Amino acid sequence: MAVGYSLSAKAALPVVQVVLFPLAFAGGLFLPPVAFPDWLNTLSQGTPPRPGRDLVLRALTGGAALAAGWPVLSGWTVLFAALAVGA
């Protein structure tokens, strides 16, 4: 929302795509995180898609949810909400 409020409609779409694809890849949406090198797996755990992916995967497979996912998602939510309000 912050990108949409800050940029024109023509500029917002490419900017969102440039941000979305690296975050989705680093978050483990294209490849499973077990296939990542150690440095990317560590970096991946702080991106917004990774805890969401892990929580959904745990819910679908019946495993216990990781407690570390909720603080990461909450932090990104607060950051993105502040950016949207500021825009």
Side-chain angles (χ1 to χ4, degrees), residues 29-72:
L29 299 180
F30 295 139
L31 294 172
V34 295
F36 290 166
D38 289 336
W39 66 269
L40 184 55
N41 190 29
T42 303
L43 177 76
S44 166
Q45 293 174 3
T47 62
R50 175 70 185 268
R53 175 208 170 270
D54 289 346
L55 290 169
V56 168
L57 187 63
R58 300 283 180 178
L60 292 175
T61 60
L66 299 175
W70 291 111
V72 172

Side-chain angles (χ1 to χ4, degrees), residues 27 37 50 73 80 83 86:
R50 175 70 185 268
L73 284 175
F80 290 147
L83 288 173

Side-chain angles (χ1 to χ4, degrees), residues 3-4 6-17:
V3 173
S6 300
L7 302 172
S8 69
K10 288 181 98 174
L13 184 62
V15 169
V16 168
Q17 294 299 321

